[in-house]
Amino acid sequence: MEQFKIIQFTDLHLGPHHDDKDQQTFQLIKQITETYNPDLLIFTGDQIWSEGIVDAYKTYKRLIDFLNQFNTRLAFTYGNHDSESNYDRSLLRSIEKQTEFLTEKFESKVINDKEAYVIPVDMENAKYLLYVIDTGSTDRTHYGLYDFVEPGHNVWLSDVQRKYKGYNNNLLFTHIPLPEYNAVIEARQIKGGKNETIGSPLLNTGTYAHILLNGDIKNVFAGHDHDNDFSFNLNGVSLHYGRVSGFNCYGDLCRGAREIVLNDNGLVETRIIEYDSTL
């Protein structure tokens, strides 16, 4: 295997009525998946919007049923809108298992109903580890608005890194951007657009510090802010947004996804790809 291709979909915001905008979102997933033929689809949160919706989890079930048509491995984490209704994230995790294409989760650790896990990718000359961390919903401390990486998951990052010593060019996927994304203001070089305030947590639990000190994670991918799709490098760690994928939510950017290519020479390449509504 010379390449391992990942498509990051984020912020689908599927609703309960399966309206025209949701139909467009499903068509986007189908078009991009069939066009780019990835090895893994990763959904980085806000797959659905659930606040005030009775049985909103049924919308998530509809997404899983739809994804079953593709012979492609799947990975998921959640955002701040996925479990605002009368259920918790454990129900969503159980619905995930209704597809035979769910990728195996290694080193899974659930803290406060938020799961972290890793996906090893082994090539002939390179090994990559995909870290996936659920950043939750709202800040339970009420210090800020948005939730944060659990301190226990930061310890978990170091534990996993010690276990997988041969994996040194790793990636982290999450929903809510780390507070250090705000350093884009001082960044000398930026690729993509910053078109809204960065919705990171006010409470900084030190995830970026763990990443920097551990030295194994070189790329971080988030969602959450629909009008941001930029990338920049901060002290050797590249911080990226995906591209908003859903039509049933705010945002002026053309809907699309982020493609991430892992190469056997250790090089990680990434770009934004856009949906073509004329096809």
Side-chain angles (χ1 to χ4, degrees):
M1 178 173 58
E2 295 183 357
Q3 290 187 330
F4 185 90
K5 188 182 297 183
I6 303 165
I7 295 294
Q8 177 198 5
F9 292 113
T10 195
D11 295 270
L12 305 180
H13 284 260
L14 297 170
H17 305 301
H18 202 44
D19 59 16
D20 290 344
K21 290 184 177 180
D22 285 346
Q23 297 278 10
Q24 283 183 283
T25 301
F26 281 120
Q27 180 58 33
L28 177 149
I29 296 170
K30 180 177 175 64
Q31 180 189 109
I32 289 177
T33 300
E34 292 180 346
T35 300
Y36 294 93
N37 192 29
D39 298 287
L40 176 70
L41 301 178
I42 184 162
F43 294 81
T44 55
D46 283 0
Q47 278 80 261
I48 63 174
W49 52 274
S50 60
E51 185 176 10
I53 306 301
V54 176
D55 296 336
Y57 66 89
K58 292 181 179 178
T59 303
Y60 196 68
K61 176 66 165 60
R62 188 167 67 243
L63 171 64
I64 296 300
D65 290 341
F66 173 79
L67 295 174
N68 277 331
Q69 69 182 286
F70 308 114
N71 186 22
T72 307
R73 292 169 62 191
L74 305 168
F76 303 90
T77 190
Y78 301 117
N80 49 301
H81 291 299
D82 287 302
S83 60
E84 294 176 305
S85 192
N86 58 345
Y87 56 84
D88 58 24
R89 281 153 135 76
S90 63
L91 176 61
L92 299 179
R93 291 193 294 270
S94 70
I95 293 173
E96 286 177 11
K97 296 177 181 178
Q98 296 177 26
T99 173
E100 61 181 296
F101 303 114
L102 182 65
T103 194
E104 185 175 358
K105 300 177 180 181
F106 291 82
E107 313 300 330
S108 173
K109 188 176 185 65
V110 178
I111 302 175
N112 289 327
D113 200 33
K114 298 185 287 186
E115 183 180 30
Y117 61 93
V118 292
I119 306 166
V121 178
D122 294 338
M123 298 182 177
E124 183 176 352
N125 299 305
K127 293 183 176 182
Y128 298 90
L129 203 60
L130 313 182
Y131 291 84
V132 183
I133 299 181
D134 185 345
T135 44
S137 182
T138 56
D139 184 350
R140 64 180 182 274
T141 71
H142 305 294
Y143 177 65
L145 177 59
Y146 295 115
D147 210 350
F148 42 80
V149 175
E150 291 291 329
H153 280 149
N154 291 327
V155 176
W156 170 87
L157 279 172
S158 297
D159 291 342
V160 172
Q161 190 269 339
R162 283 191 292 269
K163 184 173 181 178
Y164 291 81
K165 289 183 179 293
Y167 297 76
N168 297 310
N169 192 11
N170 303 327
L171 300 81
L172 169 63
F173 294 87
T174 188
H175 179 71
I176 298 173
L178 302 177
E180 284 74 17
Y181 273 67
N182 287 282
V184 69
I185 304 301
E186 289 82 29
R188 293 183 179 180
Q189 292 185 326
I190 175 175
K191 184 176 182 179
K194 180 189 180 298
N195 302 302
E196 66 172 306
T197 302
I198 296 167
S200 57
L202 287 182
L203 184 59
N204 192 335
T205 58
T207 305
Y208 176 79
H210 275 74
I211 290 171
L212 198 62
L213 294 173
N214 289 346
D216 67 314
I217 296 175
K218 304 300 184 184
N219 288 273
V220 179
F221 299 88
H224 187 55
D225 299 324
H226 307 172
D227 277 328
N228 291 334
D229 68 351
F230 63 77
S231 300
F232 75 105
N233 189 280
L234 182 64
N235 299 315
V237 180
S238 293
L239 305 179
H240 311 268
Y241 275 100
R243 170 65 71 87
V244 60
S245 305
F247 289 85
N248 228 333
C249 56
Y250 82 86
D252 295 327
L253 292 178
C254 177
R255 271 37 183 173
R258 180 174 284 278
E259 180 186 56
I260 304 151
V261 179
L262 313 182
N263 292 285
D264 193 36
N265 62 3
L267 179 66
V268 176
E269 300 173 287
T270 184
R271 61 172 178 159
I272 296 295
I273 53 180
E274 294 186 340
Y275 172 62
D276 187 346
S277 60
T278 65
L279 296 180

